[in-house]
Amino acid sequence: MTTALPEFVHARSAAHHKLLEGMRTVGGSISGLVDPYQDPEHYWENRKLDYKLVSPLNRRKFTVIVVGTGLAGAGCAAALGELGYNVESITFHDAPRRAHSVAAQGGINAARGRKVDNDSLARFVKDTIKGGDFRGREADAWRLAEESVRVIDHMEAIGAPFAREYGGQLATRSFGGVQVSRTYYTRGQTGQQLQVAASQALLRQVAAGTVNLHTRTEMLDLVVADGRAQGVVVRDLVTGRIRTITGHAVVLATGGFGNVYFKSTLAKNSNVTAAFRAHRRGAYFANPSFIQFHPTALPVSTEWQSKTILMSESLRNDGRIWVPKQAGDPRAANDIPEEERDYYLERRYPAFGNLTPRDVASRAARDEIVAGRGVGPLKNSVYLDFRDAIGRLGQKVIAERYGNLFEMYEDATGENPYEVPMRIAPGAHFAMGGLWNDYDQMTSIPGLFVGGESGWGYHGANRLGANSLLSACVDGWFTLPYSIPNYLAPLLGEAKLAADDSAVVAAAQQAEADVQALIDIGGTQGPDRFHRRLGDLLYDKCGVSRSGEQLAEGLLAVNELRDEFYSDLRVEGRANGFNQELERAGRIADYLDMAELMCLDALDRDESCGAHFRTEHQHADGEAKRNDDRWMFASAWERGTDGYVRHQEPLEFVSVPPETRNYK
């Protein structure tokens, strides 16, 4: 049963709708599938057969620009280069292997079914769609499952040292939201080892001359001419020089935007600039409010902390999560007896226990902390305890599985997790939303493709752990190398844009003016101060849970902060040289606009689903309450001169009928 809402809540809701009406209009339906009524299980097989091809001798006539060198970008550039295309690979890092894919720790999923635990492609799809709370594209989940089998073999073949069982077979473990063992891993360094392998494959093509690598180079804008993406504007981060690179197609594999929260698990340089500047050029942005908070991040220990640190979800295989039953318990963890501990995930979700999906685990941790049962100096965390696992398996086995993670934890906190429980808390992590793309990974701008976390289709409203590395590898190695030639084939004989084309010159001039405008503000506050304030605002108004009232307040607060940014920003130094303050200022300008869109999308979507938890919409037991009759679609936002237009892609589920998520 639901309790009737008080009248003042209805009054506030009316005010929220009025605010929405002033900021957005509703557009029509869009489709990401060529045939939305085709069987999703065989869609990928049939789609590949329909693709147009480019013959080997014609491939060198095309140039593809790939921005980003993480698993999606490096894989795409290496695969296209090996096929014979000319590739311009762009990264703001000093080497491709430094891309943020290295930070993923726990593993990569694959439905190879090597264990006798009843796993299958269909079960993988069911877990993925249910884990995303029925807000992802079903056909995409089937492609992810099908190609997952090839991904593991491919990555092992190019050098990823996956863990093995005693007999030599590749080892697996479990991750949140599943009851089988399908996660392949390299201790707690899976992302790093996969990234090293992908970077080596990329550099092999650089040596072969098919890939031209641009390091320390940041994308500032997209060149759109004749209605399609035909180049990018970039800035050399060492010299400050702004120039253009043109091609027949552009791929954005630039990661997610979790750093909008300032304190996040992402590297400090991770940003939304490339994607959002493409959005300003006309690319739709899908589900921007779908942000995952990782339940096993390290808690904030001081207000001056610059970021949070990720601890792998794989730790939840052997670690048990608990809080003291007594609120405000002052005792050290090891002094609290067993009967006075609440293993709340095991109590609330006995079927999945500590391996509940991330959104569920994060909300449960938040509930315990808000109720006063948080632990640690700031009472803002919960315990992740390995006492029982060490007693059962021995410290040597735990060290073999998680040794580098334990070392990292001790380096960060000064506490030995073999002796005392870890302390963890939800932290901003992964963006399920991204630039809207169709099934071919092409955005609403023809010729502009996305890969990895820059897209939206696989994960719905919540990503299952270890599907991130998988989706990046699938896009980079096995989707984009098929779909991009299908787009290029009709362009055979067309030259790429000349450097003096009016669209190219105009885009470069606009980028130069925008950069100089930030320096010319001449205010008193550095860019990081605005970023920190924005992050605090979003954690409060658009965090693990959010209400209509909070989101409306957040929208107004973001606009006020943006006005202050453009009147009081201080950027030291000059534009034509090495200037990290200038880099940050440009990225934070985009974060401010991104934050507005996130709050708008969250306020607009008047339901709870996955990581988007509106407190007005929950079941009696506190779980998220979807509204499939009203909201079973992906929101695709178009940025207009007078506000936003929300288009919608209807979502249908054939192989996995919608149901209420239940992990009990």
Side-chain angles (χ1 to χ4, degrees):
M1 293 180 61
T2 58
T3 304
L5 295 173
E7 281 302 317
F8 74 88
V9 174
H10 291 293
R12 288 173 178 170
S13 179
H16 303 160
H17 285 297
K18 187 174 181 180
L19 178 63
L20 279 172
E21 289 169 3
M23 296 190 67
R24 68 103 170 96
T25 56
V26 178
S29 293
I30 56 176
S31 178
L33 301 172
V34 174
D35 180 3
Y37 302 104
Q38 195 177 117
D39 177 10
E41 181 176 353
H42 301 290
Y43 200 97
W44 181 227
E45 176 186 356
N46 295 332
R47 184 66 182 138
K48 285 190 293 184
L49 190 60
D50 289 340
Y51 280 152
K52 302 179 185 70
L53 302 178
V54 177
S55 69
L57 294 179
N58 284 330
R59 293 171 189 168
R60 67 174 68 96
K61 300 175 183 178
F62 291 107
T63 296
V64 180
I65 301 166
V66 181
V67 186
T69 57
L71 284 176
C76 178
L80 290 175
E82 189 155 356
L83 286 169
Y85 296 93
N86 295 311
V87 180
E88 301 285 347
S89 176
I90 299 169
T91 178
F92 60 62
H93 296 290
D94 54 9
R97 63 168 290 175
R98 291 182 64 85
H100 192 58
S101 295
V102 300
Q105 299 164 342
I108 176 172
N109 285 336
R112 299 167 87 234
R114 296 298 193 264
K115 296 242 174 152
V116 188
D117 58 2
N118 200 17
D119 198 9
S120 64
L121 293 183
R123 191 171 296 280
F124 178 103
V125 172
K126 181 177 181 179
D127 288 342
T128 298
I129 291 175
K130 178 183 174 183
D133 214 357
F134 298 89
R135 291 298 178 263
R137 192 189 282 140
E138 186 178 30
D140 287 35
W142 275 104
R143 179 173 64 201
L144 194 69
E146 181 180 337
E147 295 295 0
S148 70
V149 178
R150 284 211 291 171
V151 162
I152 300 302
D153 294 334
H154 175 78
M155 297 309 295
E156 182 189 21
I158 64 173
F162 288 114
R164 294 181 179 273
E165 305 285 3
Y166 178 78
Q169 191 175 28
L170 296 184
T172 58
R173 54 192 179 199
S174 296
F175 257 61
V178 304
Q179 293 176 301
V180 296
S181 180
R182 68 164 69 106
T183 305
Y184 295 78
Y185 63 96
T186 62
R187 296 184 73 188
Q189 306 172 0
T190 312
Q192 179 178 350
Q193 297 302 327
L194 294 180
Q195 179 64 34
V196 168
S199 298
Q200 288 174 335
L202 173 63
L203 293 176
R204 179 172 174 267
Q205 294 307 310
V206 172
T210 63
V211 175
N212 186 20
L213 179 63
H214 307 265
T215 58
R216 302 184 182 93
T217 302
E218 182 167 31
M219 174 181 157
L220 295 185
D221 206 351
L222 181 72
V223 177
V224 180
D226 299 324
R228 53 192 175 94
Q230 299 198 55
V232 294
V233 181
V234 298
R235 180 175 181 270
D236 186 309
L237 297 182
V238 177
T239 67
R241 179 193 172 205
I242 291 177
R243 60 192 175 94
T244 55
I245 301 173
T246 60
H248 295 89
V250 178
V251 179
L252 297 187
T254 51
F257 49 91
N259 252 350
V260 67
Y261 286 86
F262 186 73
K263 293 186 179 76
S264 79
T265 63
L266 280 69
K268 292 302 292 180
N269 268 342
S270 298
N271 63 83
V272 75
T273 288
F276 207 86
R277 304 219 173 157
H279 176 54
R280 288 196 182 102
R281 289 289 181 181
Y284 296 171
F285 216 112
N287 300 334
S289 67
F290 288 179
I291 297 288
Q292 183 172 82
F293 290 80
H294 202 294
T296 54
L298 296 192
V300 173
S301 58
T302 169
E303 63 176 310
W304 301 114
Q305 191 167 318
S306 62
K307 70 182 304 295
T308 54
I309 297 174
L310 175 67
M311 298 304 295
S312 170
E313 182 174 305
S314 63
L315 294 168
R316 294 198 276 152
N317 274 276
D318 290 303
R320 300 181 70 192
I321 296 173
W322 63 275
V323 292
K325 291 182 178 179
Q326 175 187 333
D329 194 322
R331 292 175 291 180
N334 290 340
D335 294 336
I336 300 176
E338 183 72 14
E339 62 274 12
E340 296 181 34
R341 302 181 177 192
D342 180 13
Y343 297 91
Y344 59 88
L345 288 178
E346 299 173 27
R347 169 174 56 81
R348 293 174 59 176
Y349 309 101
F352 284 75
N354 296 296
L355 285 173
T356 55
R358 291 176 178 179
D359 61 319
V360 175
S362 290
R363 285 196 296 274
R366 178 216 59 198
D367 291 345
E368 298 300 324
I369 293 168
V370 170
R373 292 184 286 275
V375 301
L378 300 182
K379 304 298 182 185
N380 62 346
S381 53
V382 299
Y383 288 127
L384 178 61
D385 197 341
F386 288 84
R387 182 194 64 179
D388 293 347
I390 292 173
R392 184 179 70 256
L393 302 170
Q395 183 170 320
K396 180 181 178 182
V397 172
I398 297 301
E400 288 174 350
R401 293 178 180 177
Y402 314 110
N404 64 303
L405 298 173
F406 277 43
E407 292 169 7
M408 186 173 73
Y409 181 87
E410 187 168 8
D411 287 343
T413 67
E415 300 172 1
N416 184 345
Y418 293 108
E419 299 175 356
V420 297
M422 290 183 178
R423 289 180 292 108
I424 57 173
H429 179 55
F430 187 92
M432 280 76 67
L435 291 181
W436 181 86
N437 57 273
D438 64 14
Y439 187 72
D440 297 335
Q441 297 299 117
M442 188 161 69
T443 70
S444 55
I445 299 177
L448 177 64
F449 294 81
V450 292
E453 196 176 349
S454 296
W456 76 276
Y458 295 115
H459 308 302
N462 173 67
R463 176 177 65 82
L464 292 186
N467 270 358
S468 174
L469 294 178
L470 176 62
S471 59
C473 289
V474 167
D475 284 349
W477 292 104
F478 300 118
T479 303
L480 292 167
Y482 285 108
S483 63
I484 291 174
N486 177 66
Y487 169 79
L488 294 176
L491 301 178
L492 184 63
E494 289 194 24
K496 62 182 182 179
L497 280 181
D500 60 354
D501 185 272
S502 59
V504 176
V505 173
Q509 290 176 343
Q510 184 63 57
E512 291 174 348
D514 290 344
V515 166
Q516 189 60 45
L518 292 173
I519 293 178
D520 290 343
I521 293 172
T524 64
Q525 301 182 65
D528 279 353
R529 180 172 296 185
F530 288 99
H531 193 186
R532 184 182 293 273
R533 291 165 61 191
L534 177 64
D536 291 342
L537 189 162
L538 288 176
Y539 264 108
D540 182 38
K541 305 300 183 184
C542 191
V544 176
S545 62
R546 58 282 294 259
S547 68
E549 183 177 11
Q550 288 176 309
L551 292 165
E553 292 170 350
L555 270 172
L556 297 175
V558 168
N559 282 312
E560 290 174 359
L561 185 61
R562 181 170 50 200
D563 289 343
E564 186 180 346
F565 175 86
Y566 283 108
S567 64
D568 198 33
L569 172 70
R570 182 194 72 245
V571 177
E572 300 287 357
R574 52 194 174 86
N576 58 340
F578 180 72
N579 191 336
Q580 290 186 306
E581 285 288 282
L582 179 59
E583 295 170 34
R584 284 192 284 268
R587 295 168 187 172
I588 293 160
D590 296 317
Y591 279 142
L592 287 162
D593 284 348
M594 185 74 235
E596 177 188 55
L597 182 56
M598 289 166 57
C599 291
L600 176 62
D601 181 53
L603 181 59
D604 180 60
R605 183 169 285 273
D606 197 14
E607 67 161 352
S608 290
C609 58
H612 170 63
F613 188 81
R614 287 279 295 267
T615 56
E616 306 97 320
H617 303 291
Q618 52 184 303
H619 292 284
D621 60 358
E623 299 300 327
K625 186 176 183 180
R626 292 195 323 264
N627 184 346
D628 290 344
D629 292 337
R630 176 68 183 84
W631 292 99
M632 190 170 277
F633 60 79
S635 296
W637 293 91
E638 179 184 5
R639 185 181 175 93
T641 55
D642 298 323
Y644 278 96
V645 179
R646 188 247 289 150
H647 305 277
Q648 53 198 55
E649 179 183 336
L651 301 172
E652 294 187 13
F653 299 94
V654 178
S655 56
V656 187
E659 62 182 37
T660 300
R661 289 170 89 206
N662 185 354
Y663 293 96
K664 298 180 179 182

